[in-house]
Amino acid sequence: MVGDILVGLVALIHCYIVYLEMVLWDTPRGRKAFSLTPELASASKVLAANQGLYNGFLAAGLIWGLYLGAGGFQIKMFFLLCVAIAGLYGAATVSRKILFIQTAPAVLAIVALWLGL
């Protein structure tokens, strides 16, 4: 139960990231979230939308795993590992903040699922 709640939280975080990257990227809210100038936001809008789509696939995979219940354990673990690895890469290349927003929740969910919580 705890593991599935954490998986759901990670999925919701990624749904919000999709919204930020695909819809709000060049708005004041999106620029603030990613510390962007208006010029950089405008120039990178298409790249951000593509990145948002990939985050959407991560969320969809986690939701699929939740839908399958206990039978979705491997799917949930796979997508959580993808999220954690992407978060580590993002923290190393973009901002350490990603470690707390993306990686930590995924790792907590992995541990909870692994322990059967």
Side-chain angles (χ1 to χ4, degrees), residues 25-28 31 35-45:
W25 187 258
D26 61 349
T27 67
R31 290 193 312 265
S35 302
L36 301 169
T37 64
E39 297 78 22
L40 181 56
S42 179
S44 60
K45 185 174 182 173

Side-chain angles (χ1 to χ4, degrees), residues 68-107:
L68 294 174
F73 176 82
Q74 292 176 330
I75 291 166
K76 290 181 270 192
M77 291 299 280
F78 171 78
F79 282 98
L80 287 169
L81 285 168
C82 289
V83 168
I85 292 166
L88 287 172
Y89 183 79
T93 60
V94 179
S95 169
R96 288 193 192 264
K97 180 171 74 169
I98 295 170
L99 202 59
F100 302 103
I101 294 170
Q102 188 171 343
T103 308
V107 170

Side-chain angles (χ1 to χ4, degrees), residues 1-73:
M1 179 76 164
V2 172
D4 281 346
I5 290 169
L6 291 172
V7 171
L9 176 65
V10 174
L12 286 174
I13 289 169
H14 278 76
C15 287
Y16 183 65
I17 292 170
V18 169
Y19 183 63
L20 280 171
E21 292 175 341
M22 296 188 84
V23 178
L24 299 179
W25 187 258
D26 61 349
T27 67
R29 187 168 161 193
R31 290 193 312 265
K32 181 180 179 188
F34 296 101
S35 302
L36 301 169
T37 64
E39 297 78 22
L40 181 56
S42 179
S44 60
K45 185 174 182 173
V46 173
L47 293 172
N50 186 53
Q51 187 171 290
L53 186 61
Y54 284 95
N55 278 298
F57 293 143
L58 292 172
L62 293 169
I63 293 166
W64 175 36
L66 287 171
Y67 173 76
L68 294 174
F73 176 82

